[in-house]
Amino acid sequence: MDFKINFLSFYVIQVEGKEEQASKQYKHFQTLDTEEYEESSIKDFLDGEFKKIVKRKVERHPKAEQVPTKLGYFIVEPGHALDSNPNYNLFHRTRFATTKEEFEENSEQFINAYLDTAAVRGGAFLVVSAVPRKYFDHAFVFILKCDFEPKVASISDESTLIRHVEMAITTKNMKSIQYPYMPEEGMVEESELVIHQASHARYFEDFLKFIDYNEPMPEIMKTQVMDMVREHVSETFEAESVELEQFESDMELWATSEKRELQERLDTHQVMEAAAHIVEHTPDAELKMKLGETEIKGLLADFGENIHLAKVNGRYVALIEAESILFEKGASPIEFHKPDDLHGIIEKISSKKWEE
C-alpha cells in the first residue's frame, strides 16, 4: 500500500545529562508539503516504511504481557464522544490539517508532550500525515522516532578511509505510532491506534496519557480462572470463615507467583468446563506445565480430551494421546521404541513405592 504524504514535520531532540538533571531540547528543522517531500532525501530514507507500519500485525489481546506492538484505544467516559479525549482531538486535528502552518502547530504539541516524559532519548522525531493512494478517503497520522546511532561512519576516500557521522539515524528499531488502526485494508477504526517500539520499554507510549490498552491474554485467563475458582469455593466454605480467609490469602499468593504448583481444588469436569469458556473466545489458548524437569506444551482445548493428569502413590502422572510421535533435532534410541502396554506402566509406577 503506497502513501501520498500530505505534510511531514522533522525535529531533532538532544538530551544532555541523566534522569532529573537531564536537559531536553528540540529543534524544528523543516515542515514539508507533498511536492517538497517528493523532492527531498527523506523520501528515500522512509521509502517503504509506511507500508511496513500499516501491515505490521497487532493483537487486541496479546499472548504476552510485554509485546513490541500494541493496540491502544482512546479513553472515553460512558456517554461521551471521542472528542472528549484530548489525545484524540490532537490526532484528529493533525490528520485533517490543510496548511503547513496548521500541521506544524499540531506537531509541536506532539513533541512537547513527548519531551515531558521521564525517559526521553535523543534522535529524530517525525510527525507525518498521509493518505493511501488506493483509498484517498482515509487519512493517517504517523509519529516516528529514530534514536541516534553511536559509532557510525561513512566511507570517505583512499586516504582517510572513513568519516565519522554526527547524529546518524536509521529506520532499524524505529518506534512508530499509526492512527487510525487499519484492521483490514480499506477499513479503519477511528477509536484505536497502533504503537510499536522494538524494545519492551514503555517510554515511547507514556506521552499519550489518555490512551489505554486491552489486557493481555495471560491476564484475562488468570482473571477468569480466579473468578471460576472463587465461585466454586463460595459454595464450599461459609462466609467470613477461617477457611475462606485462608483461601483468599492463598489466591493472592497464587496470582502473584511466576511458578505455581498444582492446587488440587477442582475435579476434571470442573476444569474442562472452565477451560471451555476460555477456549470459546480464544481457540488457540495454550497449556504449559512442567512435571519435574519435563516441560509439556499443548492446547488448553486438549485438556481432558488428549491431555490427562493423574496421581499414583503421591506422584503426578501426565498421559498424552496422539495419532503419531515425531522427533526433530538430536537422534536418540527412543525413536525405535515399541511402546509398552499402558496398564503395565501403571503397575510399574504403583510398585515404585514398595521398591523404595
Side-chain angles (χ1 to χ4, degrees), residues 335-355:
E335 297 183 38
F336 297 90
H337 176 60
K338 182 178 180 181
D340 296 328
D341 177 70
L342 177 61
H343 297 289
I345 293 176
I346 294 174
E347 288 180 12
K348 181 179 178 181
I349 295 172
S350 300
S351 65
K352 279 188 175 181
K353 180 179 179 180
W354 308 116
E355 289 176 3

Short mmCIF file of all heavy atoms in Angstrom, two decimals, residues 335-355:
data_model
loop_
_atom_site.label_atom_id
_atom_site.label_comp_id
_atom_site.label_asym_id
_atom_site.label_seq_id
_atom_site.Cartn_x
_atom_site.Cartn_y
_atom_site.Cartn_z
N GLU A 335 13.55 -43.29 19.40
CA GLU A 335 12.86 -43.25 18.11
C GLU A 335 12.56 -44.65 17.58
O GLU A 335 11.74 -44.80 16.67
CB GLU A 335 13.72 -42.48 17.10
CG GLU A 335 13.91 -41.01 17.49
CD GLU A 335 14.70 -40.23 16.45
OE1 GLU A 335 14.47 -40.49 15.26
OE2 GLU A 335 15.52 -39.38 16.84
N PHE A 336 13.19 -45.68 18.15
CA PHE A 336 12.96 -47.06 17.72
C PHE A 336 12.18 -47.87 18.77
O PHE A 336 12.06 -49.07 18.65
CB PHE A 336 14.31 -47.74 17.43
CG PHE A 336 15.06 -47.09 16.30
CD1 PHE A 336 15.94 -46.05 16.55
CD2 PHE A 336 14.85 -47.49 14.99
CE1 PHE A 336 16.62 -45.42 15.51
CE2 PHE A 336 15.52 -46.88 13.95
CZ PHE A 336 16.41 -45.84 14.20
N HIS A 337 11.65 -47.16 19.76
CA HIS A 337 10.96 -47.83 20.86
C HIS A 337 9.59 -48.36 20.43
O HIS A 337 8.85 -47.69 19.71
CB HIS A 337 10.78 -46.85 22.03
CG HIS A 337 9.99 -47.42 23.18
ND1 HIS A 337 10.37 -48.53 23.88
CD2 HIS A 337 8.83 -46.99 23.75
CE1 HIS A 337 9.49 -48.76 24.83
NE2 HIS A 337 8.54 -47.85 24.76
N LYS A 338 9.26 -49.56 20.89
CA LYS A 338 7.93 -50.12 20.72
C LYS A 338 7.19 -49.88 22.02
O LYS A 338 7.52 -50.45 23.06
CB LYS A 338 8.02 -51.62 20.43
CG LYS A 338 6.66 -52.26 20.18
CD LYS A 338 6.83 -53.74 19.85
CE LYS A 338 5.46 -54.38 19.59
NZ LYS A 338 5.61 -55.84 19.29
N PRO A 339 6.18 -48.97 22.03
CA PRO A 339 5.52 -48.56 23.27
C PRO A 339 4.99 -49.73 24.09
O PRO A 339 4.48 -50.71 23.55
CB PRO A 339 4.38 -47.66 22.79
CG PRO A 339 4.86 -47.13 21.48
CD PRO A 339 5.64 -48.24 20.85
N ASP A 340 5.11 -49.59 25.43
CA ASP A 340 4.61 -50.60 26.37
C ASP A 340 3.10 -50.50 26.51
O ASP A 340 2.48 -49.51 26.12
CB ASP A 340 5.26 -50.42 27.74
CG ASP A 340 6.76 -50.65 27.69
OD1 ASP A 340 7.19 -51.48 26.87
OD2 ASP A 340 7.48 -49.99 28.46
N ASP A 341 2.53 -51.52 27.10
CA ASP A 341 1.10 -51.50 27.43
C ASP A 341 0.88 -50.52 28.59
O ASP A 341 1.63 -50.51 29.56
CB ASP A 341 0.64 -52.90 27.82
CG ASP A 341 -0.83 -52.90 28.23
OD1 ASP A 341 -1.68 -52.72 27.34
OD2 ASP A 341 -1.11 -53.05 29.43
N LEU A 342 -0.16 -49.69 28.48
CA LEU A 342 -0.43 -48.67 29.49
C LEU A 342 -0.60 -49.27 30.88
O LEU A 342 -0.08 -48.75 31.87
CB LEU A 342 -1.67 -47.86 29.09
CG LEU A 342 -2.11 -46.78 30.09
CD1 LEU A 342 -1.02 -45.74 30.29
CD2 LEU A 342 -3.40 -46.11 29.61
N HIS A 343 -1.34 -50.37 30.97
CA HIS A 343 -1.59 -50.98 32.29
C HIS A 343 -0.30 -51.44 32.93
O HIS A 343 -0.12 -51.36 34.15
CB HIS A 343 -2.58 -52.14 32.14
CG HIS A 343 -3.92 -51.71 31.63
ND1 HIS A 343 -4.79 -50.99 32.40
CD2 HIS A 343 -4.53 -51.88 30.42
CE1 HIS A 343 -5.89 -50.74 31.70
NE2 HIS A 343 -5.74 -51.27 30.49
N GLY A 344 0.62 -51.93 32.10
CA GLY A 344 1.92 -52.35 32.63
C GLY A 344 2.71 -51.19 33.20
O GLY A 344 3.38 -51.32 34.23
N ILE A 345 2.62 -50.03 32.55
CA ILE A 345 3.32 -48.84 33.04
C ILE A 345 2.72 -48.38 34.36
O ILE A 345 3.44 -48.02 35.30
CB ILE A 345 3.25 -47.71 31.99
CG1 ILE A 345 4.06 -48.10 30.75
CG2 ILE A 345 3.77 -46.39 32.57
CD1 ILE A 345 3.99 -47.11 29.62
N ILE A 346 1.39 -48.43 34.46
CA ILE A 346 0.73 -48.02 35.70
C ILE A 346 1.14 -48.93 36.85
O ILE A 346 1.39 -48.48 37.98
CB ILE A 346 -0.81 -48.02 35.52
CG1 ILE A 346 -1.21 -46.92 34.51
CG2 ILE A 346 -1.51 -47.80 36.85
CD1 ILE A 346 -2.66 -46.92 34.14
N GLU A 347 1.23 -50.25 36.59
CA GLU A 347 1.67 -51.18 37.62
C GLU A 347 3.11 -50.88 38.04
O GLU A 347 3.46 -50.96 39.22
CB GLU A 347 1.57 -52.61 37.09
CG GLU A 347 0.13 -53.13 36.97
CD GLU A 347 0.07 -54.55 36.44
OE1 GLU A 347 1.15 -55.20 36.39
OE2 GLU A 347 -1.02 -55.00 36.08
N LYS A 348 3.94 -50.51 37.06
CA LYS A 348 5.35 -50.19 37.35
C LYS A 348 5.45 -48.96 38.25
O LYS A 348 6.23 -48.93 39.21
CB LYS A 348 6.09 -49.96 36.04
CG LYS A 348 7.57 -49.65 36.20
CD LYS A 348 8.22 -49.45 34.83
CE LYS A 348 9.69 -49.10 34.98
NZ LYS A 348 10.33 -48.88 33.65
N ILE A 349 4.63 -47.95 37.94
CA ILE A 349 4.63 -46.73 38.75
C ILE A 349 4.12 -47.02 40.15
O ILE A 349 4.67 -46.54 41.15
CB ILE A 349 3.77 -45.62 38.08
CG1 ILE A 349 4.40 -45.20 36.74
CG2 ILE A 349 3.65 -44.40 38.99
CD1 ILE A 349 3.54 -44.25 35.92
N SER A 350 3.06 -47.84 40.22
CA SER A 350 2.46 -48.17 41.50
C SER A 350 3.44 -48.93 42.41
O SER A 350 3.42 -48.77 43.63
CB SER A 350 1.20 -49.02 41.30
OG SER A 350 0.24 -48.32 40.54
N SER A 351 4.28 -49.78 41.82
CA SER A 351 5.20 -50.60 42.61
C SER A 351 6.44 -49.84 43.07
O SER A 351 7.20 -50.35 43.88
CB SER A 351 5.61 -51.84 41.81
OG SER A 351 6.36 -51.45 40.66
N LYS A 352 6.66 -48.65 42.53
CA LYS A 352 7.86 -47.89 42.89
C LYS A 352 7.93 -47.61 44.39
O LYS A 352 8.99 -47.62 44.98
CB LYS A 352 7.92 -46.57 42.12
CG LYS A 352 8.46 -46.72 40.71
CD LYS A 352 8.66 -45.35 40.08
CE LYS A 352 9.31 -45.50 38.71
NZ LYS A 352 9.55 -44.18 38.07
N LYS A 353 6.78 -47.38 45.00
CA LYS A 353 6.74 -47.09 46.43
C LYS A 353 7.32 -48.24 47.23
O LYS A 353 8.06 -48.02 48.20
CB LYS A 353 5.30 -46.80 46.85
CG LYS A 353 5.15 -46.49 48.33
CD LYS A 353 3.69 -46.20 48.67
CE LYS A 353 3.53 -45.91 50.16
NZ LYS A 353 2.11 -45.64 50.51
N TRP A 354 7.00 -49.49 46.84
CA TRP A 354 7.46 -50.67 47.59
C TRP A 354 8.95 -50.92 47.33
O TRP A 354 9.65 -51.39 48.20
CB TRP A 354 6.63 -51.87 47.21
CG TRP A 354 5.16 -51.59 47.33
CD1 TRP A 354 4.25 -51.59 46.34
CD2 TRP A 354 4.46 -51.25 48.52
NE1 TRP A 354 3.01 -51.24 46.81
CE2 TRP A 354 3.11 -51.03 48.17
CE3 TRP A 354 4.83 -51.07 49.87
CZ2 TRP A 354 2.13 -50.67 49.08
CZ3 TRP A 354 3.85 -50.72 50.79
CH2 TRP A 354 2.52 -50.51 50.40
N GLU A 355 9.39 -50.56 46.11
CA GLU A 355 10.81 -50.74 45.80
C GLU A 355 11.66 -49.84 46.69
O GLU A 355 12.76 -50.18 47.10
CB GLU A 355 11.08 -50.45 44.33
CG GLU A 355 10.53 -51.51 43.39
CD GLU A 355 10.73 -51.13 41.94
OE1 GLU A 355 11.36 -50.06 41.70
OE2 GLU A 355 10.29 -51.86 41.05
#
